[in-house]
Amino acid sequence: MADNDYHFITTWRLKGTQVTEVSEVLSNAEDLVRWWPSVYLEIKTVEQGQSDGVGKVVSLFTKGWLPYTLRWSFRVSEVTKTGFTIEAFGDFVGRGIWTFAQEADTALIIYDWKIRADKPLLRRLSGVLKPLFSLNHHWAMARGEESLRLELQRRHATTPEARAAVPPPPQPTFKFLL
């Protein structure tokens, strides 16, 4: 594995949640900016793709805890009843597989992200800073799980007052961006 190759497997378990709802939330890329703003700064659909989402191309401007940003895109390459696969290009090159399974009253969400970091900063520094870059990914995914839980609470709120009582999602770190 090259220094700038990364492979992460993230597992989220959401008690009291249906996988169909989680799939719906995660499949709506344009809405990530609203409910996962700590990572997704800007998103634009470049190509709509087929009615099931296959072929959809999305351009993203993202960041993590560290003070650098990433510009990358993905194409949805597969959609199944149990998840979907994206092919990444730009500052990241590789693939991500979201898999959803229902275990009684718990939604099991697994994200398998196998990429090469092609942003020059990451490519050059991965040999030395790979553990720090990996921690940055884990931070971003932890914010995603937290933000998804809050989004589901908002969706499940039965009154405007209950919806307003749900805290906002975590916001981006650092004002300056590389």
Side-chain angles (χ1 to χ4, degrees):
M1 181 186 294
D3 286 342
N4 63 325
D5 286 342
Y6 293 83
H7 188 194
F8 304 105
I9 298 177
T10 302
T11 302
W12 298 339
R13 286 182 172 78
L14 303 174
K15 192 168 178 71
T17 303
Q18 297 296 311
V19 294
T20 53
E21 184 177 25
V22 171
S23 176
E24 176 186 312
V25 171
L26 289 172
S27 296
N28 184 355
E30 296 81 3
D31 207 25
L32 292 168
V33 172
R34 182 185 60 75
W35 67 264
W36 194 348
S38 57
V39 171
Y40 293 94
L41 305 175
E42 182 180 304
I43 297 178
K44 180 182 176 191
T45 297
V46 178
E47 294 177 30
Q48 288 299 320
Q50 301 171 19
S51 61
D52 65 355
V54 172
K56 181 177 186 172
V57 177
V58 178
S59 172
L60 306 105
F61 183 49
T62 62
K63 70 176 304 312
W65 179 80
L66 294 171
Y68 63 83
T69 58
L70 298 160
R71 290 201 178 272
W72 57 288
S73 299
F74 71 77
R75 177 181 309 278
V76 177
S77 59
E78 182 179 19
V79 176
T80 67
K81 291 191 297 189
T82 60
F84 59 92
T85 301
I86 62 171
E87 301 297 330
F89 52 97
D91 286 344
F92 287 139
V93 176
R95 61 104 183 104
I97 302 170
W98 286 100
T99 305
F100 313 115
Q102 194 71 46
E103 295 179 343
D105 69 340
T106 300
L108 173 65
I109 301 103
I110 299 172
Y111 188 54
D112 185 341
W113 187 222
K114 191 171 190 175
I115 52 149
R116 181 180 69 237
D118 266 3
K119 181 174 181 132
L121 171 79
L122 300 179
R123 189 174 57 239
R124 283 193 306 272
L125 296 177
S126 281
V128 177
L129 297 178
K130 192 169 196 167
L132 187 60
F133 294 154
S134 293
L135 286 172
N136 193 53
H137 169 80
H138 294 296
W139 177 91
M141 295 307 288
R143 296 303 70 72
E145 181 178 14
E146 179 183 359
S147 295
L148 180 57
R149 287 180 190 281
L150 292 169
E151 174 63 11
L152 294 169
Q153 285 178 24
R154 269 188 293 283
R155 287 173 170 240
H156 295 169
T158 56
T159 66
E161 295 79 18
R163 194 170 296 109
V166 177
Q171 297 301 302
T173 59
F174 297 102
K175 298 288 181 195
F176 61 96
L177 307 171
L178 303 175

